[in-house]
Amino acid sequence: ATPDVHERTVKSFENADGELVMPELTRVRLADARAALALLRRGHTNRVVACTKANRESSRGHAVFLVTVARVDAARFERTESQLYLVDLAGSEKVAKTHAEGTRLAEAGTINRSLLALGNVIQSLARGDRHVSFRDSKLTRLLKNPLKSSKCCMIVTASPSSYNVEESLSTLRFGERAQTIASTVRRTTRKSLAEYKQAYERAEKTISLQATTIRQQLMEIERLRALLDKHSIDAGS
């Protein structure tokens, strides 16, 4: 979540592999699950909330917690990564109910546009469209991989009040569309730069040993050839 839509915009771009890169975000190495939960709580405390006419503690942005688990196969010089996305979406807002003004109004507009983009992406995926507009917002660009090639679980919350029936129906339809997405888990195995270096050094050693063996075999061939020549000369005399 960002503190203020006017004060800060999270930069993002796609690298050569088509992956979304957000250089301003911090990547933290974690030792265990306890450290992961501590980091999650830290992120939660940094999340900005504000009071509106509709909600005393309204989230002013989406929250994304991404956990990457890596496994290294030293024998094959392979690194396999699995990612877990935990996403808490801010709710859509009706200005007529929240009476938001100024910064809060701008935040509401940003939240609603990103949720609309996400809804369009989910609808396209559910229909099986060939083109899906992931680039319409930072949120959909960030969630492109988990939406397309992973197992997803969505929890939607609805208000029991009849005053919020329109929002509740919209939320339930949103979840129903998401339920129809047929995604396929995709496995991608990559080697890090260090692993490529290790593989190169190992190949160099193998080549060096093979070269030594070849030299020894050539010397043996020369020795045997000399013996054959000597025996031929002795036989002729």
Side-chain angles (χ1 to χ4, degrees):
T2 55
D4 194 313
V5 291
H6 297 299
E7 292 178 3
R8 184 178 178 185
T9 300
V10 179
K11 296 178 181 178
S12 63
F13 62 89
E14 288 188 3
N15 60 17
D17 296 325
E19 298 173 331
L20 184 66
V21 178
M22 306 181 82
E24 294 179 343
L25 301 187
T26 303
R27 190 167 187 171
V28 181
R29 185 180 293 274
L30 302 172
D32 50 33
R34 182 177 296 178
L37 289 174
L39 187 63
L40 181 60
R41 284 192 290 268
R42 176 182 166 190
H44 180 69
T45 57
N46 290 337
R47 193 175 187 185
V48 176
V49 296
C51 178
T52 68
K53 295 291 184 180
N55 191 344
R56 285 188 301 176
E57 295 184 354
S58 173
S59 299
R60 309 316 299 166
H62 310 301
V64 180
F65 188 69
L66 172 57
V67 181
T68 301
V69 180
R71 185 186 67 180
V72 177
D73 187 337
R76 300 176 61 184
F77 298 99
E78 288 184 350
R79 176 185 177 89
T80 304
E81 290 187 352
S82 297
Q83 292 184 321
L84 171 66
Y85 286 75
L86 299 176
V87 184
D88 184 14
L89 299 173
S92 60
E93 296 186 353
K94 282 193 172 183
V95 177
K97 289 185 178 181
T98 63
H99 299 284
E101 297 178 348
T103 299
R104 301 296 168 235
L105 180 61
E107 290 169 345
T110 302
I111 291 169
N112 289 341
R113 283 193 297 273
S114 64
L115 290 174
L116 177 62
L118 179 59
N120 291 336
V121 163
I122 288 176
Q123 192 167 22
S124 293
L125 290 172
R127 289 197 304 253
D129 294 349
R130 295 185 64 181
H131 174 72
V132 182
S133 303
F134 286 106
R135 295 189 176 187
D136 285 355
S137 77
K138 285 190 176 73
L139 178 65
T140 50
R141 290 172 69 187
L142 180 61
L143 299 181
K144 178 179 179 179
N145 285 339
L147 285 173
K148 283 188 67 178
S149 56
S150 67
K151 293 183 178 179
C152 297
C153 175
M154 178 180 287
I155 299 173
V156 298
T157 57
S159 170
S161 172
S162 59
Y163 179 69
N164 298 318
V165 65
E166 289 185 22
E167 290 89 339
S168 295
L169 284 174
S170 177
T171 299
L172 292 173
R173 292 191 184 105
F174 186 88
E176 187 178 26
R177 286 196 300 270
Q179 192 176 17
T180 61
I181 296 176
S183 59
T184 303
V185 178
R186 179 168 54 95
R187 179 180 176 181
T188 304
T189 302
R190 300 174 182 172
K191 292 181 174 66
S192 66
L193 181 60
E195 289 161 346
Y196 275 117
K197 185 177 179 181
Q198 291 175 353
Y200 174 77
E201 290 172 351
R202 183 175 177 178
E204 257 194 340
K205 289 179 181 178
T206 301
I207 292 171
S208 178
L209 289 172
Q210 290 175 343
T212 301
T213 302
I214 290 171
R215 284 195 299 269
Q216 291 172 347
Q217 290 175 344
L218 288 173
M219 290 172 62
E220 181 64 15
I221 290 170
E222 290 298 325
R223 187 184 70 81
L224 293 173
R225 183 175 294 161
L227 285 174
L228 286 172
D229 291 342
K230 183 180 178 181
H231 284 302
S232 297
I233 293 171
D234 290 344
S237 56

